[in-house]
Amino acid sequence: MKLTSKGRYAVMALVDLARFDSINPVSLRDISLRQNISLDYLEQIFSKLKKNNIVKSIRGTQGGYILNKNPNDIKLTNIFYAVDEKVKTVQCKKESKKGCNGKATKCITHDLWDELENHINSFFKNKSLEDLIKNKKETRI
Amino acid sequence: MKLTSKGRYAVMALVDLARFDSINPVSLRDISLRQNISLDYLEQIFSKLKKNNIVKSIRGTQGGYILNKNPNDIKLTNIFYAVDEKVKTVQCKKESKKGCNGKATKCITHDLWDELENHINSFFKNKSLEDLIKNKKETRI
DNA sequence: CCATACCTGACTAAATTGGTCAAGTATAGA
DNA sequence: TCTATACTTGACCAATTTAGTCAGGTATGG
Ligand code: FES
Ligand code: FES
């Protein structure tokens, strides 16, 4: 099981954004250069972050993005949800009554994977952007 | 991030094997039918489990596989390692001094992903096959 | 009016996944 | 000895996902 770049980049970019400025907008170009992430790809990611009210945008020269919430209220869960980085351990569909084996009952390891999923999600729920930037704020270069 | 079928099937099959019989060999055909996993695919998986001394094989009629260790000594970690189901959260290569951004220092989220990786691995290290079959042993049909 | 920077959608190469297929070899039981 | 069972090995492949690129837009401050 692995983390995809989309989720990794989203968190990276938001940490960068939060560290560098909390009032003035930060352009994706700057983030792209500092973190070495493709600008085009960042645009796709920020489009989703914006739809989920995690950031807001300011167009035009000197524009960019700003956090739309207090860093303490932005959990990794929220970020991952926004960019569709899902934690999926069970094979079966959650809504379905059927197990992944096509039978009426859940498979013999279903509960295990469910437990694992909760274990992982608890990590994401407890970690906020604020936790990640503590003592690491920087001033604009 | 998601669990792949290879890891899921490996655990499923071993739980099945351990539950159904601890002395007589269990054939992959039986496991395949009970758990609804492709037989050909199971063969690939068990070839790896055997190489890692988790199971041993008995050829011929009435043959099959048996656990090669006490279920208590088989942790999920061992199973996943055997079938190459890796937990990979960081992007950078662990040996390399370079960060994922190509720079000399680790990226700003490296430590976070490393912490996540440890969090997940601790789950796998602590869970044994024995934990999964407690009170669930069945007799051969 | 123009440079900056957000915005949107289409497209794609490469890797991974989740298998299938084919051709064996070893062994127990009839 | 013959045969059915079941392990063994390696090649192959279709579908999906990933991690982007590309080509256009649109809004705005100076
Ligand atoms: S994972 Fe849910 S039934 Fe198998
Ligand atoms: S994940 Fe290790 S340097 Fe970025």
Side-chain angles (χ1 to χ4, degrees):
Chain A
M1 49 189 329
K2 64 185 162 204
L3 194 63
T4 68
S5 287
K6 201 181 302 195
R8 194 183 298 108
Y9 288 167
V11 176
M12 248 186 178
L14 285 174
V15 169
D16 180 287
L17 196 163
R19 277 171 68 176
F20 268 84
D21 214 307
S22 41
I23 298 169
N24 298 309
V26 177
S27 74
L28 293 191
R29 191 170 161 279
D30 285 355
I31 297 179
S32 164
L33 289 171
R34 278 196 294 261
Q35 306 305 331
N36 207 40
I37 302 171
S38 148
L39 175 58
D40 285 316
Y41 202 27
L42 270 182
E43 281 173 343
Q44 289 178 42
I45 292 169
F46 272 75
S47 150
K48 297 183 184 209
L49 293 175
K50 192 190 168 190
K51 277 194 189 112
N52 283 267
N53 301 312
I54 291 173
V55 295
K56 55 185 171 196
S57 66
I58 291 159
R59 301 182 76 153
T61 321
Q62 308 293 5
Y65 287 93
I66 320 184
L67 289 185
N68 198 22
K69 295 178 185 177
N70 189 300
N72 211 20
D73 295 330
I74 303 177
K75 311 291 186 190
L76 288 201
T77 292
N78 308 129
I79 302 173
F80 278 14
Y81 176 83
V83 300
D84 299 311
E85 172 84 58
K86 299 183 184 107
V87 176
K88 180 165 166 54
T89 57
V90 296
Q91 174 75 349
C92 59
K93 295 203 182 77
K94 289 236 167 167
E95 329 82 62
S96 166
K97 300 288 183 208
K98 285 185 185 171
C100 63
N101 43 21
K103 295 174 189 165
T105 54
K106 298 293 182 189
C107 77
I108 50 178
T109 47
H110 176 93
D111 290 348
L112 173 69
W113 310 129
D114 214 40
E115 197 184 330
L116 170 61
E117 199 161 311
N118 289 334
H119 181 76
I120 298 174
N121 278 327
S122 77
F123 184 90
F124 295 139
K125 277 181 199 146
N126 291 325
K127 196 73 88 182
S128 74
L129 207 48
E130 176 67 27
D131 297 331
L132 302 177
I133 58 175
K134 265 181 203 143
N135 310 318
K136 288 188 182 171
K137 291 206 178 138
E138 304 192 25
T139 47
R140 183 176 280 266
I141 294 172
Chain B
M1 48 191 328
K2 65 184 163 204
L3 193 63
T4 69
S5 286
K6 201 182 300 196
R8 193 182 297 108
Y9 288 168
V11 177
M12 245 187 182
L14 286 174
V15 169
D16 180 288
L17 195 163
R19 277 172 69 177
F20 268 83
D21 215 306
S22 41
I23 299 168
N24 299 308
V26 176
S27 73
L28 293 190
R29 192 171 161 277
D30 285 354
I31 297 179
S32 164
L33 289 173
R34 278 197 294 261
Q35 306 304 331
N36 208 38
I37 301 171
S38 147
L39 176 59
D40 285 317
Y41 202 28
L42 270 182
E43 281 172 343
Q44 289 178 43
I45 291 169
F46 272 75
S47 151
K48 296 183 184 207
L49 292 175
K50 191 189 168 190
K51 277 193 191 113
N52 283 265
N53 301 312
I54 292 173
V55 295
K56 55 185 171 194
S57 65
I58 292 158
R59 301 182 75 154
T61 320
Q62 309 293 4
Y65 287 93
I66 320 185
L67 289 184
N68 198 22
K69 295 177 183 178
N70 190 299
N72 210 20
D73 294 330
I74 304 177
K75 310 292 186 189
L76 288 200
T77 291
N78 308 128
I79 302 173
F80 278 14
Y81 176 84
V83 299
D84 299 311
E85 171 84 59
K86 297 180 186 113
V87 176
K88 179 166 168 56
T89 58
V90 297
Q91 175 73 350
C92 59
K93 293 204 182 78
K94 289 235 166 168
E95 328 84 62
S96 167
K97 301 286 183 208
K98 285 185 186 171
C100 63
N101 44 20
K103 295 175 189 164
T105 54
K106 297 294 183 188
C107 77
I108 50 178
T109 47
H110 177 93
D111 290 347
L112 173 69
W113 308 130
D114 214 39
E115 198 185 328
L116 169 61
E117 198 161 311
N118 289 334
H119 182 76
I120 296 175
N121 279 327
S122 77
F123 184 90
F124 295 139
K125 276 181 199 143
N126 290 325
K127 196 73 88 181
S128 75
L129 206 48
E130 177 67 27
D131 297 331
L132 302 177
I133 58 174
K134 264 179 202 147
N135 310 319
K136 288 186 181 172
K137 290 203 179 143
E138 303 191 22
T139 47
R140 183 176 280 265
I141 293 174

